[in-house]
Amino acid sequence: MIVVLKENSNKEQLSNLVDWLKSMNIEIQFCNGVHQTVMGLLGDTAKIDIDLIKALEIVEEVMRVQEPYKSANRKFHPLDSVFKVGNTTVGGGSFTLIAGPCSVESEEQICTVAKQVKDAGATMLRGGAFKPRTSPYAFQGLRKEGINLLLEAKKETGLPIVTEIMDISHIDLFADVDVIQVGARNMQNFELLKELGKTNKPILLKRGLSSTVDELLMSAEYIMAGGNEQVILCERGIRTFETVTRNTLDLSAIPALKAASHLPIIIDPSHATGKSKFVPAMSCAATAAGADGLIIEVHNDPSHALCDGPQSLTPADFKKLAKQVNEIHNLVSKF
Ligand code: PEP
Ligand code: MN
């Protein structure tokens, strides 16, 4: 349930309302906007007499919320979420450009790509250290060593780093990682999500291969329910009957998620298409549709990449694309 308060509402009446709600075991989340304060009521709100609250002098409006997600819900938090990651800002009009290889392969590879993507305008560096591969015989990532190499690249470029966690027992290795990625295959690993909810790190939560928009939001809710509000949603293509692309990029998830949630939304056109030649068109389309950023695979030598070479851009192609998407973002943010 949402209670919208009148501007400059009487403090004593507000405190009486809060005490009354608390006496019914209702948890209250306040969201203070410039002109309005919104109270989000969590718990068994069925027992609350809505007309009784509506009748209070300090109350502007009361609404019941149907959606099962509360913390991620825009109704509880009308303004876009914005958070700092290192020296960059995610959400609220900023455009986040995360770039780097699918996997960290060597110090030379990650540091070279890091410098090239920074020069092209990337705001964060990506690179997988723990890789969720379909085959157990495929390259599994450099694991701990991969994280150390990412930290080396961060030291050289100043770019915040994004890398995937697959098992909560590895959490200590992520102490200096700026953004922890939860991959598509782990979107509904609820125990992992609960533990990440206890951390204070931004989480890049990728949509599962066959998950709905509502399921993605419920997974975000798992993290937020633990107290970690810094969730970045990521659409990375879903399973459909189509085989011309690796997955099908669900562009309509952007306006759907924007309407439903205040969380920033990042698009991954690399895993969505699986083909580097399709990445620029889908990056531009996602930016025009209102995404808060992109995560793009870039490799210094795509044909020899240990993972996802066919969908990786060269640094030169990424540079061209970065310029285009920044121009599109500037244009659409004027609408
Ligand atoms: C990745 O980002 O390298 C990755 C494995 O992505 P996803 O979980 O979307 O498949
Ligand atoms: Mn990949």
Side-chain angles (χ1 to χ4, degrees), residues 114-154:
K115 283 179 206 144
Q116 288 168 319
V117 297
K118 184 183 179 181
D119 169 60
T123 57
M124 289 190 223
L125 174 69
R126 63 150 288 149
F130 291 90
K131 292 304 304 174
R133 304 302 301 274
T134 302
S135 166
Y137 307 116
F139 176 57
Q140 303 287 304
L142 297 180
R143 301 168 73 87
K144 181 172 188 265
E145 174 64 3
I147 294 188
N148 290 339
L149 297 180
L150 279 166
L151 292 170
E152 195 54 44
K154 176 182 171 178

Side-chain angles (χ1 to χ4, degrees), residues 102 126 128 131-132 164 181-185 206-207 209 236 246 268 271 295 297 308:
C102 180
R126 63 150 288 149
K131 292 304 304 174
E164 178 169 353
Q181 175 175 320
V182 174
R185 290 154 192 83
K206 295 187 115 185
R207 179 177 179 181
L209 278 71
R236 44 77 72 206
R246 184 176 178 182
D268 176 346
H271 291 90
I295 177 165
E297 286 187 344
D308 286 349

